[in-house]
RNA sequence: GGGCGGGUAGCUCAACCGGCUAGAGCGCUCGCCUUACACGCGAGAGGUUCGGGGUUCGAAUCCCCGCCUGCCCA
């Protein structure tokens, strides 16, 4: 295409899809493990953090994937066999919830109206839809993934890995069944997820219950008779504040405050804050639960809220619970999440008192029951069988009648309810599966990777997050009461086994088809007696065994695995594990993982543990899944709120690609990725009716978030409306033909758009020169033979490549963006192109340098702006070339594509300090002349005359035409300017400019010179002050002192020259 | 409660080991449609580096105290 026909602006939409097709057709992104295994290339692999199929990607994902693509493309150009593995995550809870909502909204049907298989099919269809959307988004962004290898965490290959991993962990005793509190809907008798609940304020009461104090009896404390009452007199002796005011010889008590008195049946302790003045006096004492007779310890735990009167700080005083608190908290671990944690923290003390930490006093329908873990019922049998509401009334009545109810105060608070049934959600103990990550082969193995330097975080402070997580890790609950996910591969039976059945199971076990795990909390490994359950895990690929088990009366666990279980296997499953595949051999361990902070514990940690446990020699000694983990910033909206689906403030990358282009988006995102800061992204809307960009109206949600109002008016025509992403996401509005969805945009991306455009035009200009140029140049050019601008440009190129290499090596993405910005715009466009304009048409060698430098810059920019660079490269490639000694530009490997060309390599010989210094002088002089021209309003085209002090003429002569071209000089002379002229100082000498105009604005000159003198005076004062400080001269490094002296001398000389010029202009001053 | 960040120009962010008159982009002011680019060119204005103490010849940078703010884990 002739250059003249290239449009003046780079229009991304005209290039992106064509370039994408060329890339795909070339197979450039497809990795070949055999090249690694055959030793022809070193591997470089990145695993995509698989996005949830729940929703479209937003700008946070765009950032995440841009960074990965930059790393992948550069590695590919550097000659690594590069695999960027793409895929998506099934995101169990989130996806199922989204589909349930959608199905209800559209068909008014609930999950229970479908069979499990039918409903899973609906989710599957939803997943297919969003997987396609996400893939499209990534491809539009230019992501150079190996698309032929795309995976999904629930596809067959990943499912096999999940089954095998579960089997091995189960077999090795690292998976067990245990109890945990879940949100329980007693009406449906099922667990519900957090996002299936809503909070609602209800009017209720705080009840104040008195528990009598006792000394625990002998070795069998559960025997009520052994407990000895504690009297107020005794408490007074122990220093209990206020005890002396109580009737001395009667039994003392403590008062707990609770909103749920019926749960007292399951209390296992009473807790007090260690800072409570009463704590010391109570140490070692117990209380006896009324009617139940259970003797339970008094614990000290700082979770307990101090009553208002004892609060030590305003913060404590302002705790809303402080008004109601007594300082004593009943601890019911089986019926309250916070109490559960207190129970875990004080396990030993509670068990030391002779009973379990978890005492469940309810049946699944939330009625009081002694069949689900409660044994010491005693006189409390009067409550058994009551509903939780009736039980509450009766507990209160019983306490009251015995004088144990101290008070009852109205209290309004919010309570969790089930979406479906509106029933109050009950924290309820249920059976769950766990991975014993506390085993040293898992958690410790992960930390060892850090200490052995097999694994590194960037920035490295995140290593601490990783390390501390593993040090404090708790076993991982992996079961979820959902339908969407990997079904737990365990079949159980509580039946009595015949001998032949046992033989059959043993046979399968010996063939490694199944394994027995830890069966249940009773701990039986083998269950051949009635009360226990036998659970077997079936290895993948034994469908016949599964079938037979069902025939024998076994049923498969209905739960599915936590999504993170399959994500944790991502480095293995995507590469074909448990198969012995070339991909696995070539690319695991992978090279770099790019992700966000909160993922360190959720995902990074688990991948490290599983890879080390399951791969290679395994058992915690296997390889790490990746060597470097880069943690990048979080993109917030304009208000500093994190982008999220629920807030509806996520910006679709396709919107930005539409307004600015993919390259502009990528460049800007990369430019924002500094090491410490999260980034804010204020967005505007594009009116779908008029294409105007405008700032939307905002509203504050009831939760206090600031979001775009659901409906917006067109700025030019108020009658035209549109809806926002928030409006749709919140369900408040819907897009219609009259009211379409408005796209987002942000002026932030102008940076990248302008930069892409600058590159486009620089290339357009260079092509214009080079396409028409004639003349022969040597095939090999030695930089030493070149002109100053050429030598300088090559030296700058060397510096830029070195800096870019360093920046990317240390994952400093914004530095990389900065470096390429400066080399292209500041160096290549502002100075180099301007400098060679007069000479390049007639200088074939300079033409070769121009072509080579442009080519090198395209390569340097390709990872961050792949589309525009590839488009330009289509033409640059065909230019006549010469080898510039010291600069290596390897030819493309496939189809002439830049994405397969070599990363620029600059020999140290290209660095040229002399050329840099010399060019810097030219630049200084040019800038000084331009400043005078600007002050004097000299027209851009007017050629002015430069008057040079005779002593400086020789130095200048060599670069006269260069300077002349850069600031429109007509003549250069050693004669003094007479008549209409201006003066300026450069390198402490006085220069003149004439022929500026018909008259010189003396006032402007005086102002400029005066300002200059003021600046110099300031500098002289600073520098002089530094030198007059004896300690500075004595203690600072001599080099620095000398530097200061030189600077001072120069400033003083400049000041003198400027003052002289000023004196001539305005002798009176 | 534990851990990790941030507070620098009107805005968004830089500033390596403590050392350049604290930089860049946007915005602003002035002049230019200078045949690559007005998504541009040239020239400018703009900062008590959150507050207070300390260490040092020298502090945006290190230490202590305080204030504000974000995130992760519990």
């Amino acid at each position: 295409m002739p250059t003249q026909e290239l449009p003046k602006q780079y229009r991304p939409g005209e290039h992106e899809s064509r370039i994408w097709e060329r890339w795909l057709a070339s197979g450039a992104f497809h990795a070949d493990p055999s090249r690694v295994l055959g030793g022809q290339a070193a591997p470089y692999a990145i695993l995509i953090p698989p996005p949830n199929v729940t929703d479209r990607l937003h700008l946070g994902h765009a950032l995440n994937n841009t960074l990965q693509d930059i790393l992948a493309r550069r590695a590919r150009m550097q000659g690594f066999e590069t695999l960027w593995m793409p895929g998506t995550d099934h995101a169990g809870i989130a996806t199922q919830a989204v589909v349930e909502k959608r199905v209800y909204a559209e068909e008014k049907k609930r999950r229970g109206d479908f069979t499990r298989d039918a409903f899973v099919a609906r989710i599957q269809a939803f997943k297919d839809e969003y997987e396609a959307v996400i893939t499209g988004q990534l491809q539009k962004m230019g992501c150079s993934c190996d698309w032929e290898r795309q995976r999904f965490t629930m596809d067959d290959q990943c499912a096999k890995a999940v089954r095998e991993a579960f089997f091995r962990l189960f077999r090795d005793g690292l998976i067990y069944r245990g109890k945990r509190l879940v949100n329980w809907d007693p009406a449906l008798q099922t667990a519900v997820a957090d996002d299936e609940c809503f909070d609602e304020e209800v009017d209720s009461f705080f009840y104040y219950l008195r528990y009598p104090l006792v000394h625990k009896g002998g070795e069998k404390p559960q025997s009520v008779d052994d407990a000895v009452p504690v009297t107020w007199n005794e408490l007074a002796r122990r220093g209990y504040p206020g005890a002396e005011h109580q009737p001395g010889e009667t039994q003392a008590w403590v008062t707990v405050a609770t909103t749920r008195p019926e749960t007292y049946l399951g209390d296992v302790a009473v807790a007090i804050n260690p800072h409570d003045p009463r704590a010391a006096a109570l140490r070692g004492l117990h209380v006896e639960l009324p009617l139940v007779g259970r003797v339970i310890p008094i614990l000290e735990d700082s979770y307990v809220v101090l009553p208002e009167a004892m609060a030590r700080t305003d913060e404590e005083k302002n705790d809303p619970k402080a008004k109601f608190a007594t300082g004593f908290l009943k601890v019911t671990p089986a019926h309250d999440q916070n109490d559960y944690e207190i129970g875990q923290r004080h396990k030993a003390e509670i068990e030391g008192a002779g009973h379990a930490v978890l005492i469940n006093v309810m049946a699944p329908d939330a009625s009081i029951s002694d069949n689900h873990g409660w044994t010491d019922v005693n006189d409390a049998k009067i409550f058994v069988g009551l509903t939780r509401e009736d039980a509450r009334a009766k507990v209160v009545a019983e306490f009251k009648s015995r004088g144990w109810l101290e008070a009852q105060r109205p209290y309004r608070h919010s309570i969790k309810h089930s979406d479906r049934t509106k029933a109050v959600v009950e924290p309820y103990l249920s059976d769950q599966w766990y991975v014993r990550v506390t085993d040293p082969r898992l958690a410790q193995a992960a930390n060892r990777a850090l200490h052995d330097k097999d694994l590194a975080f960037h920035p490295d402070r995140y290593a601490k997050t990783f390390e501390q997580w593993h040090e404090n890790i708790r076993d991982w609950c992996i079961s979820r009461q959902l339908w969407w996910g990997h079904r737990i591969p365990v079949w159980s039976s509580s039946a009595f086994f015949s001998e032949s059945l046992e033989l059959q199971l043993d046979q399968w076990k010996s063939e490694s088809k199944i394994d027995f795990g830890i069966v249940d909390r009773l701990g039986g490994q083998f269950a051949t007696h009635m009360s226990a359950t036998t659970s077997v895990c079936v290895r993948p690929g034994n469908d016949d065994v599964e079938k037979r088990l069902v025939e024998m009366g076994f049923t498969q666990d209905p739960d599915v695995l936590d999504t993170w279980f399959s994500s944790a296997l991502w480095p293995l499953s995507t590469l074909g594990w448990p198969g012995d595949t070339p991909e696995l051999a070539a690319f695991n361990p992978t090279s770099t993982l790019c992700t966000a902070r909160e993922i360190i514990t959720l995902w990074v940690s688990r991948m490290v543990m599983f890879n080390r446990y399951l791969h290679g020699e395994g058992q915690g000694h296997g390889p790490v899944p990746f060597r470097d983990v880069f943690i990048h910033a979080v993109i917030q909206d304009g208000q500093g709120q994190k982008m999220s689906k629920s807030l509806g403030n996520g910006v679709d990358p396709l919107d930005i690609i539409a307004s600015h282009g993919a390259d502009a988006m990528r460049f800007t995102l990369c430019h924002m990725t500094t090491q410490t800061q999260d980034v804010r992204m204020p967005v505007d809307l594009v009116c779908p009716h008029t294409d105007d960009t405008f700032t939307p109206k905002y509203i504050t949600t009831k939760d206090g978030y600031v979001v775009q109002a659901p409906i917006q008016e067109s700025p030019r025509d108020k009658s035209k409306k549109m809806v926002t992403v928030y409006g749709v996401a919140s369900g408040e509005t819907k897009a219609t033909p009259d009211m379409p969805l408005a796209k987002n945009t942000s002026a932030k991306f102008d940076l990248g758009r302008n930069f892409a455009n600058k590159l486009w035009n620089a290339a357009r200009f260079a092509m214009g020169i080079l396409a028409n140029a004639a003349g022969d140049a040597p095939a090999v050019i030695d930089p030493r033979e070149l002109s100053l601008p050429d030598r300088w440009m090559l030296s700058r190129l060397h510096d830029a490549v070195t800096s870019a290499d360093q920046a990317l090596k240390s994952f400093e993405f914004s530095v990389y963006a900065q470096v390429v910005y400066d080399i292209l715009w500041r160096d290549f466009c502002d100075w180099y192109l301007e400098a060679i304009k007069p000479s390049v048409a007639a200088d074939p060698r300079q033409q070769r340098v121009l072509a080579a430098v442009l080519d090198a810059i395209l390569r340097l920019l390709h990872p961050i702006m792949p589309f525009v660079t590839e488009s330009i490269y289509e033409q640059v490639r065909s230019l006549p070339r010469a080898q510039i000694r010291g600069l290596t530009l390897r030819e493309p490997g496939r189809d002439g594509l830049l994405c397969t060309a070599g990363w620029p390599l600059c020999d140290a010989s290209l660095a040229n300090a002399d050329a840099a210094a010399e060019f810097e002088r030219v630049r200084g002089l040019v800038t000084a002349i331009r400043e005078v021209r600007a002050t004097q309003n000299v027209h851009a085209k007017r050629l002015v005359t430069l008057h040079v002090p005779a002593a400086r003429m020789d130095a200048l002569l060599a670069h006269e035409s260069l300077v002349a071209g850069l600031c429109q000089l007509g003549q250069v002379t050693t004669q003094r300017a007479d008549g209409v002229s201006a003066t300026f100082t450069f390198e402490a000498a006085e220069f003149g400019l004439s022929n500026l105009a018909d008259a010189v604005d003396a006032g402007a000159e005086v102002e400029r010179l005066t300002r200059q003198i003021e600046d110099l005076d300031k500098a002289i004062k600073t520098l002089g002050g530094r030198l007059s400080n004896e300690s500075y001269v004595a203690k600072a490094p001599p080099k620095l002192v000398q530097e200061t002296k030189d600077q001072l001398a120069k400033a003083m000389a400049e000041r003198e020259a400027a003052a002289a010029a000023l004196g001539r202009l305005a002798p009176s001053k």
Side-chain angles (χ1 to χ4, degrees):
Chain A
M1 200 190 319
T3 310
Q4 288 74 14
E5 288 177 22
L6 284 176
K8 282 169 72 168
Q9 285 186 349
Y10 172 62
R11 292 199 278 266
E14 292 175 6
H15 304 270
E16 290 176 357
S17 53
R18 173 176 54 85
I19 295 294
W20 180 257
E21 291 308 323
R22 287 193 62 202
W23 287 335
L24 268 202
S26 74
F29 305 155
H30 188 55
D32 181 358
S34 71
R35 283 178 39 85
V36 174
L37 300 174
Q40 291 132 287
Y44 186 88
I46 297 180
L47 301 159
I48 202 168
N52 291 351
V53 287
T54 313
D55 199 8
R56 312 173 68 82
L57 303 183
H58 58 61
L59 280 179
H61 299 104
L63 170 65
N64 176 255
N65 288 289
T66 294
L67 301 181
Q68 293 174 68
D69 198 38
I70 287 170
L71 295 175
R73 285 182 183 269
R74 172 159 175 274
R76 204 174 282 119
M77 292 176 80
Q78 286 177 309
F80 290 96
E81 190 63 26
T82 301
L83 169 65
W84 183 12
M85 175 67 73
T88 49
D89 192 299
H90 68 277
I93 292 175
T95 310
Q96 180 169 322
V98 166
V99 174
E100 285 190 26
K101 267 181 203 148
R102 196 194 233 202
V103 168
Y104 185 74
E106 289 171 3
E107 303 165 36
K108 293 279 175 264
K109 283 187 181 167
R110 301 192 185 277
R111 180 172 49 145
D113 298 329
F114 297 84
T115 65
R116 182 167 180 154
D117 286 347
F119 196 78
V120 167
R122 298 295 287 263
I123 306 176
Q124 185 76 34
F126 179 89
K127 168 252 157 186
D128 289 342
E129 183 185 332
Y130 272 88
E131 183 180 55
V133 169
I134 290 165
T135 302
Q137 285 177 304
L138 290 172
Q139 296 192 346
K140 284 277 191 305
M141 285 169 49
C143 293
S144 63
C145 302
D146 189 344
W147 293 105
E148 294 169 45
R149 290 197 163 91
Q150 185 169 10
R151 298 244 68 86
F152 171 58
T153 51
M154 264 172 69
D155 66 24
D156 290 346
Q157 184 173 316
C158 291
K160 194 173 172 200
V162 166
R163 290 284 303 261
E164 179 67 19
F166 192 100
F167 178 82
R168 292 196 194 176
L169 292 164
F170 188 91
R171 180 193 62 196
D172 299 348
L174 292 172
I175 286 182
Y176 67 95
R177 204 154 162 73
K179 296 280 190 189
R180 173 182 246 225
L181 282 182
V182 297
N183 295 323
W184 188 258
D185 179 336
L188 277 179
Q189 304 202 13
T190 176
V192 287
D194 275 336
D195 56 3
E196 298 171 310
C197 301
F198 64 94
D199 287 322
E200 194 171 270
E201 293 227 320
V202 295
D203 285 311
S204 169
F205 294 94
F206 251 111
Y207 301 92
Y208 294 82
L209 309 181
R210 288 180 175 170
Y211 288 178
L213 282 166
V214 294
H215 289 286
K216 192 175 76 169
E219 288 305 304
K220 294 195 171 189
Q222 56 270 68
S223 166
V224 182
D225 302 335
D226 294 346
V228 180
V230 175
T231 63
W232 288 110
N233 277 345
E234 185 184 352
L235 270 197
R237 281 198 301 279
R238 283 170 157 257
Y240 188 93
E244 62 277 14
H245 303 306
Q246 300 287 347
E249 283 312 308
T250 61
Q251 187 171 11
W253 31 258
V254 296
T255 306
V256 298
T258 178
T259 56
R260 303 179 62 208
E262 69 279 11
T263 63
Y264 100 97
L265 301 169
D267 283 3
V268 298
V270 166
I272 184 170
N273 192 300
H275 295 108
D276 191 310
R278 298 167 296 186
L282 295 172
R283 214 158 280 156
L285 297 182
H286 289 67
V287 302
E288 182 185 321
L289 274 187
L291 299 173
V292 182
R294 188 180 307 140
V295 173
I296 60 179
I298 296 175
L299 309 172
E300 293 179 35
D301 194 295
S302 52
Y303 171 79
V304 180
V305 177
L306 288 166
E308 200 173 14
M310 292 177 190
R312 295 162 299 165
T313 62
D314 283 350
E315 195 185 343
E316 285 180 0
K317 195 164 284 173
N318 295 333
D319 188 321
K321 283 192 173 164
K323 271 194 181 50
F324 292 89
T326 64
F328 295 101
L329 179 74
K330 61 190 276 302
V331 180
T332 326
H335 294 279
D336 182 278
Q337 189 60 47
N338 292 315
D339 291 6
Y340 182 88
E341 277 154 27
I342 295 174
Q344 294 302 308
R345 283 199 286 276
H346 300 276
K347 205 163 189 258
E349 287 166 79
I350 295 167
E351 286 175 347
H355 49 79
V357 172
L358 295 168
I359 297 179
N360 176 28
V361 297
M362 284 186 191
D365 65 356
S367 66
I368 304 300
S369 163
D370 55 358
N371 285 327
H372 296 83
W374 178 26
T375 50
D376 54 351
V377 183
N378 300 322
D379 295 341
K381 59 181 174 296
I382 54 173
F383 303 116
V384 171
L386 299 179
T387 66
R388 52 184 170 170
E389 293 78 13
D390 293 348
R392 177 174 303 179
K394 189 159 179 69
V395 166
V396 171
E398 294 294 330
F399 270 71
K400 196 171 182 179
S401 70
R402 289 169 168 77
W404 298 333
L405 181 71
E406 185 170 296
Q408 176 175 336
R409 295 167 62 192
Y411 181 64
R412 189 172 170 80
H413 62 144
S414 81
I415 292 185
K416 216 177 253 188
H417 294 70
S418 170
D419 268 338
R420 309 288 178 68
T421 60
K422 316 297 174 203
V424 172
V425 165
E426 190 69 38
Y428 194 70
L429 271 186
S430 72
D431 286 318
Q432 304 289 338
W433 291 97
Y434 288 84
V435 176
R436 198 184 306 281
V437 286
T438 46
D439 189 284
R441 289 169 292 175
L442 293 167
Q444 279 181 29
N447 272 352
R448 214 170 46 240
L450 212 56
H451 301 139
D452 295 349
K453 307 228 182 293
D454 292 328
L455 179 68
F457 282 82
H458 310 272
D460 65 1
R461 68 189 127 93
Y462 291 113
K464 203 169 166 184
T465 305
F466 181 90
E467 192 178 13
Q468 290 181 349
W469 162 260
H470 288 103
E471 282 168 2
N472 301 317
I473 203 164
R474 291 199 273 169
D475 284 349
W476 173 20
C477 175
I478 50 170
S479 46
R480 295 289 181 273
Q481 291 70 50
L482 297 170
W483 284 356
W484 177 241
H486 292 278
R487 186 101 176 245
I488 290 177
V490 173
W491 281 257
S492 304
S493 169
S494 313
F496 182 81
F497 291 164
S498 65
E499 209 167 304
S500 66
L501 178 52
E502 264 186 51
L503 278 173
Q504 173 69 83
L505 291 175
D506 280 337
Q507 156 107 30
W508 282 334
K509 182 171 193 285
S510 68
E511 292 166 1
S512 268
K513 289 180 172 176
I514 66 162
D515 213 306
F516 305 103
I518 292 174
V519 174
D520 59 19
R521 65 185 180 283
L522 299 174
Q525 175 89 8
F526 248 104
T528 49
H529 52 83
M530 286 293 283
S531 63
T533 301
T534 297
S535 296
V536 298
C537 179
V538 182
R539 203 164 200 167
N542 294 296
D543 296 0
D544 52 328
V545 173
E546 292 172 18
K547 219 167 142 188
R548 286 278 296 122
L549 281 170
V550 171
E551 287 163 12
M552 294 171 183
F554 279 79
T555 51
Q556 186 174 8
D557 195 293
D559 289 354
V560 300
L561 287 167
D562 178 13
T563 303
W564 295 109
F565 191 95
S566 54
S567 326
L569 295 166
W570 196 239
L572 296 167
S573 59
T574 55
L575 296 172
W577 186 88
D580 196 6
T581 63
E583 286 82 358
L584 193 63
F587 295 115
N588 184 312
T590 65
S591 311
T592 307
L593 182 79
C594 290
T595 190
R597 280 192 292 274
E598 73 269 19
I599 304 301
I600 296 173
T601 51
L602 290 172
W603 188 45
V604 178
S605 145
R606 287 160 184 170
M607 284 193 282
V608 175
M609 291 192 288
F610 274 11
N611 215 79
R612 299 211 72 181
Y613 191 80
L614 296 166
H615 191 34
E617 55 184 316
Q619 301 287 313
H621 298 283
V624 290
F626 28 72
R627 300 209 164 82
D628 291 299
V629 179
F630 176 67
I631 303 295
H632 59 70
V634 171
I635 298 194
Q636 305 164 338
D637 67 10
Q639 270 71 24
Q641 304 161 137
K642 196 169 161 181
M643 284 191 182
S644 75
K645 183 184 171 64
S646 51
L647 259 190
N649 60 353
V651 173
D652 189 336
L654 295 186
D655 284 6
I656 305 301
I657 291 173
S659 64
H660 287 79
D663 289 325
M665 181 178 74
R666 296 166 56 112
F667 181 84
T668 306
L669 290 173
C670 178
H671 191 267
M672 297 189 314
T673 300
T674 60
Q675 299 285 296
T676 49
Q677 303 253 65
D678 286 345
V679 285
R680 283 192 183 199
M681 178 67 64
V683 293
D684 289 328
L685 290 178
V686 180
C687 171
H689 305 286
T690 61
D691 267 359
D692 290 326
T693 295
F694 67 101
T695 304
K697 295 206 164 49
Y698 286 89
I699 56 164
T700 304
T701 66
K702 57 180 187 295
D703 303 324
Y705 293 107
V706 179
V707 295
Q708 294 178 358
I711 296 176
Q712 305 272 341
E713 291 171 344
S714 175
R716 236 188 286 176
D717 179 353
K718 306 282 185 207
S719 69
K720 291 190 171 141
K721 312 275 195 219
M722 68 205 78
V723 302
T724 61
V725 173
Y726 172 76
V728 175
S730 63
E732 292 184 40
T733 58
K734 260 189 188 153
T736 64
D738 282 347
M739 247 184 7
L741 179 66
K743 286 184 174 172
N744 283 296
T745 186
S746 171
K748 281 245 176 191
F749 295 103
D750 292 355
L751 172 71
R753 182 197 56 190
N754 297 351
F755 186 59
N757 190 58
K758 189 72 181 176
L759 173 63
W760 177 255
N761 277 291
R764 200 161 68 95
F765 176 61
M767 295 301 298
I769 294 165
L770 298 174
N772 303 322
D776 290 330
V780 178
I781 294 175
D782 187 333
R784 283 172 300 188
E785 306 157 355
L786 294 167
S787 71
L788 175 62
D790 292 325
R791 280 180 286 132
W792 172 78
M793 188 66 233
L794 289 169
S795 182
R796 290 294 304 136
L797 180 67
H798 165 273
D799 295 349
V801 171
T802 307
S803 303
D805 282 337
Q806 177 54 41
L808 288 172
K809 193 176 150 201
S810 47
F811 303 100
E812 291 173 324
F813 289 94
S814 72
V815 174
Y816 165 58
Q818 203 88 253
V819 165
V820 297
Y821 185 93
D822 286 342
I823 188 71
L824 173 71
W825 202 313
R826 303 274 84 102
D827 296 332
F828 186 69
C829 292
D830 287 355
W831 291 99
Y832 182 68
L833 289 183
E834 296 301 328
I836 66 170
K837 268 180 184 176
S839 55
V840 66
D843 183 349
R845 282 195 308 181
Q846 192 158 57
Q847 290 161 16
R848 301 296 184 270
V849 175
L850 172 60
V853 170
L854 176 60
D855 186 331
I857 288 177
L858 289 174
R859 293 167 192 245
L860 205 51
L861 284 173
H862 179 74
I864 194 169
M865 304 187 102
F867 291 106
V868 65
T869 48
E870 190 75 77
S871 298
I872 294 169
Y873 192 71
E874 287 174 339
Q875 300 181 52
V876 167
R877 230 190 120 226
S878 55
L879 293 173
R881 303 302 277 277
Q883 162 74 42
I884 312 278
R885 199 159 280 158
L887 176 62
T888 308
L889 302 172
R890 188 173 51 75
E891 286 292 300
R894 281 172 194 259
D895 302 348
L897 286 168
L898 178 60
C899 71
T900 63
W903 182 250
L905 300 175
C906 290
D907 193 88
S909 65
L910 285 183
N912 188 331
D914 292 342
E918 196 64 10
F919 199 81
E920 204 46 55
R921 293 190 62 234
V922 168
R923 223 149 52 152
L925 180 58
V926 168
T927 303
I929 295 170
R930 283 174 177 173
E931 191 186 341
V932 175
R933 291 183 66 116
T935 320
Q936 289 297 327
N937 277 326
V938 179
H939 193 275
K941 285 182 180 165
R942 183 166 185 135
L943 299 179
V944 299
T945 302
L946 175 67
H947 301 266
V948 183
R952 299 302 181 99
M953 195 57 185
D954 286 349
L956 183 67
L957 225 46
H959 306 308
E960 186 185 327
S961 63
L962 181 57
V963 174
L966 288 167
C967 53
Q968 309 300 313
L969 294 183
Q971 278 186 283
V972 177
T973 170
T974 51
Q975 285 177 348
R976 262 206 117 74
D978 49 359
V980 183
S981 69
T983 12
F984 67 94
T985 58
F986 174 65
E987 293 184 346
E990 192 180 329
F991 285 63
L993 279 180
S994 68
N995 194 26
L996 300 168
D998 300 326
V1000 162
D1001 181 347
E1005 277 298 282
V1006 169
E1007 200 183 309
R1008 183 178 64 80
L1009 287 167
T1010 307
R1011 201 175 56 233
Q1012 193 183 357
I1013 289 169
E1014 278 169 12
D1015 284 352
L1016 286 166
D1017 280 342
K1018 205 172 121 197
I1020 288 166
K1021 200 177 157 206
T1022 310
L1023 296 167
R1026 202 173 291 168
L1027 286 170
S1028 61
N1029 180 342
E1030 283 172 28
S1031 319
Y1032 174 70
V1033 179
K1035 294 187 182 171
K1039 196 180 156 200
L1040 207 63
V1041 176
Q1042 187 55 46
E1043 234 170 64
T1044 309
K1045 283 180 181 164
D1046 295 346
Q1047 283 169 343
L1048 180 61
K1050 189 172 171 225
M1052 288 172 77
E1054 300 244 327
R1055 192 205 182 278
E1056 200 178 316
L1062 182 62
R1064 259 192 311 286
L1065 264 176
S1068 60
K1069 291 193 181 174

